[in-house]
Amino acid sequence: MRVEILNYLREKENYISGEELAHKLHLTRQAFWKHIQELRNLGYEIIAVPHLGYKLTKIPDKLYPWQVKFKLNSKFIGKEIFYFEKTTSTMDEALGLGKDNAAEGAVVCAEYQTKARGRLGRKWLSAKSKGLYFSIILKPKIPPSKIPCITLLSAVAVVRAVKKLTGLSLSIKWPNDVLIEDRKLAGILTELNAEQDRINFIVVGVGVNVNNTKSELPPKAVSLNAVLGRKVNRLELLQRILEEFEVVYVDFKHKGSSPIIDEWRKLSYIWGSKVKALLPDKTIKGEALDLDSDGALMVRTDSGMVEKIVAGDIVRIK
Ligand code: BTN
């Protein structure tokens, strides 16, 4: 009911009569008033003027599920949203929900994470209500070799969404770093629940530095706020990412990996450069050639051999 009242207030730019609204929603005036108070307690600023009625003047900077879903233009990504003010990691929550059979496209988002993780055992700084921290549950019917494509398509969705909302052009560093001028803006972590040759579900975790200040970020990272010099609406950005995610993911399911790999390839600037690839068991040096159809990075080593890299980190050598 609270959400219905809110949606009426959001739709109407001017004052709306409390009496009329209470009547429309079959509420007593007292019950209506109680809901208005609850909304105010959640951070909504609602002014009440005698003879005119109620007007919503400020929406809190929170990723409340009903706010994310409001006019969200997607069919299944974000249809179900689980919200946490604070959690260890949205990955933990999503992996748990996946085991409990949450639907494909369910999203877990948090204002703050106490044990957020990145790739290769790294930490992810999650300053409260400053960035976007969320995970998406996916159940694609793909062979395990195609899993890296999920990371790639997620990065493409972030790039497209940021461009749409802010006009900024981003680039991608293999496999999952979304960059602005060589500084990290967003990271993607893909984790699995799988048996030998069968994927039960995949969780894609996305962290985006939105309004984080310099002191809330690692040295080589950057936020949208720092680049644009203004606060960016996290809610709108999350909505745009979820919408773009659905588009690229559905495309991937229907058309396979090549459209996404083509787009990804154009967003990366390492082709032809000398790189050092830090793999779990060794380091190799060579020229970054291309991505293969599974999203693996092809590197021609100094001895002329072409190595296929599926996990690790790369750095460009000057
Ligand atoms: C990386 O660049 O290494 C990946 C970072 C992924 C961070 C996000 S924030 C939301 C989700 N929860 C986590 O604990 N990690 C991911």
Side-chain angles (χ1 to χ4, degrees):
M1 186 51 70
R2 218 166 53 190
V3 176
E4 277 172 278
I5 297 175
L6 187 62
N7 289 348
Y8 270 108
L9 292 170
R10 286 188 79 163
E11 290 289 354
K12 189 105 174 185
E13 278 180 13
N14 223 319
Y15 287 90
I16 182 162
S17 148
E19 208 167 327
E20 206 181 294
L21 199 49
H23 183 73
K24 222 181 238 171
L25 298 169
H26 310 289
L27 288 172
T28 61
R29 291 192 68 158
Q30 285 93 325
F32 176 73
W33 174 249
K34 214 174 133 225
H35 287 302
I36 293 284
Q37 277 311 113
E38 278 170 10
L39 285 168
R40 285 178 172 149
N41 292 342
L42 286 169
Y44 293 90
E45 278 179 23
I46 301 167
I47 48 175
V49 177
H51 309 300
L52 280 177
Y54 295 86
K55 188 175 164 176
L56 179 66
T57 52
K58 196 173 158 217
I59 289 171
D61 180 12
K62 296 276 186 179
L63 305 173
Y64 296 142
W66 57 88
Q67 302 220 108
V68 181
K69 285 190 204 166
F70 185 71
K71 293 190 178 169
L72 179 69
N73 190 11
S74 70
K75 289 201 171 67
F76 63 99
I77 300 287
K79 206 163 167 57
E80 230 183 313
I81 294 185
F82 298 87
Y83 171 80
F84 295 86
E85 186 71 35
K86 176 177 165 183
T87 178
T88 50
S89 157
T90 58
M91 299 306 281
D92 297 339
E93 303 289 357
L95 288 167
L97 285 159
K99 278 188 199 146
D100 292 344
N101 215 19
E104 162 148 276
V107 172
V108 180
C109 53
E111 300 294 343
Y112 175 54
Q113 304 177 104
T114 53
K115 275 194 184 151
R117 54 183 178 267
R119 277 191 333 122
L120 310 170
R122 294 182 189 128
K123 288 188 180 138
W124 185 263
L125 291 183
S126 312
K128 189 167 178 202
S129 300
K130 295 294 185 74
L132 287 179
Y133 321 114
F134 64 96
S135 299
I136 309 176
I137 297 171
L138 301 171
K139 300 181 174 178
K141 291 190 175 56
I142 53 168
S145 63
K146 291 284 176 201
I147 293 164
C149 295
I150 300 285
T151 309
L152 303 184
L153 73 83
S154 310
V156 168
V158 172
V159 171
R160 284 194 193 178
V162 171
K163 174 91 181 175
K164 248 191 187 161
L165 190 71
T166 67
L168 288 173
S169 295
L170 312 180
S171 59
I172 307 182
K173 178 171 160 280
W174 187 87
N176 73 334
D177 289 357
V178 178
L179 311 174
I180 301 184
E181 290 159 11
D182 267 359
R183 308 191 120 213
K184 184 152 167 172
L185 179 79
I188 290 143
L189 177 68
T190 307
E191 293 183 346
L192 302 183
N193 180 302
E195 285 151 44
Q196 276 222 308
D197 245 359
R198 205 187 70 192
I199 301 168
N200 297 325
F201 63 90
I202 297 179
V203 173
V204 173
V206 183
V208 188
N209 303 323
V210 186
N211 294 314
N212 314 57
T213 59
K214 219 174 161 191
S215 65
E216 292 163 340
L217 292 171
K220 284 188 187 152
V222 72
S223 69
L224 288 174
N225 188 325
V227 175
L228 295 166
R230 63 171 168 85
K231 200 171 170 201
V232 171
N233 190 317
R234 289 187 311 143
L235 204 52
E236 277 183 44
L237 182 60
L238 178 56
Q239 290 181 316
R240 294 300 84 75
I241 296 175
L242 298 180
E243 289 166 2
E244 290 300 330
F245 193 97
E246 184 167 292
V247 173
V248 281
Y249 180 62
V250 168
D251 236 34
F252 166 67
K253 289 217 280 193
H254 291 160
K255 300 183 192 153
S257 60
S258 59
I260 202 67
I261 287 185
D262 283 349
E263 188 168 347
W264 195 99
R265 196 182 276 123
K266 289 184 198 133
L267 292 166
S268 182
Y269 299 109
I270 52 162
W271 313 122
S273 306
K274 270 281 234 186
V275 293
K276 185 160 77 172
L278 313 162
L279 314 183
D281 52 341
K282 58 179 176 177
T283 298
I284 57 172
K285 279 188 192 162
E287 180 194 344
L289 291 180
D290 203 356
L291 285 184
D292 78 353
S293 62
D294 291 340
L297 182 70
M298 315 295 283
V299 173
R300 184 171 28 230
T301 63
D302 297 342
S303 65
M305 287 246 305
V306 176
E307 294 239 16
K308 180 173 159 166
I309 301 173
V310 284
D313 247 348
I314 53 157
V315 276
R316 213 187 321 201
I317 318 173
K318 298 268 162 9

